[in-house]
Amino acid sequence: MQMTSFLLRGVDASPVQIHLAKGRRRRGSASEWESNVSVDSALRQCGVEPPDLHAVFPADAGAGSGTDLAVALLLAAAAGAIPAERCAGYAAVGELSLAGEVRPVRGSVQISQTAASLGMRLLVPADSVLAPGCRGTDVSTLQGAMEAVRDPVA
């Protein structure tokens, strides 16, 4: 199971494929630890117990707070809270608060341009500015993102 998110490199948005692997998440850097805590807390706010899995990023990418939403959706799918096969149809960006709110990220225009050029549907924080042609869905909470994946609007 995998999902796409994006990281900014300068002014360019690069797609990042995130996978899940068995085992506890390691603490890593302070930002990785903060992200893990936010994702776990947000999942619990939605009634989902985080499974014993961790996100795996390409060696040249690393995690960023903007990947929180994608990681949380993958973990929700692994826990059976959303259909796993639907995650592959989306890319997601957004930082999660402890309460499950999706916070804005830098570079929404660049991210949405890249998503549009790749033909991807994009879940983005509410009020994000999107490039023309991007099939984006605004979400304000992890619960809202899970509902969007569960019941996509054509």
Side-chain angles (χ1 to χ4, degrees), residues 10-106:
V11 295
D12 296 321
S14 299
V16 176
Q17 297 298 320
I18 305 167
H19 301 35
L20 294 178
K22 291 182 181 179
R24 301 292 294 164
R25 286 173 264 173
R26 53 189 171 84
R27 292 193 183 236
S29 69
S31 64
E32 288 172 328
W33 178 244
E34 182 180 331
S35 179
N36 289 340
V37 170
S38 295
V39 166
D40 285 354
S41 177
L43 285 166
R44 287 188 178 103
Q45 291 293 322
C46 295
V48 178
E49 185 59 31
D52 193 18
L53 299 168
H54 64 276
V56 177
F57 294 83
D60 64 339
S65 61
T67 62
D68 287 356
L69 182 57
V71 171
L73 289 170
L74 277 174
L75 290 169
I82 57 175
E85 66 277 2
R86 293 218 181 118
C87 285
Y90 286 92
V93 294
E95 181 179 352
L96 289 174
S97 74
L98 295 173
E101 297 161 336
V102 181
R103 296 179 178 155
V105 295
R106 289 184 316 108

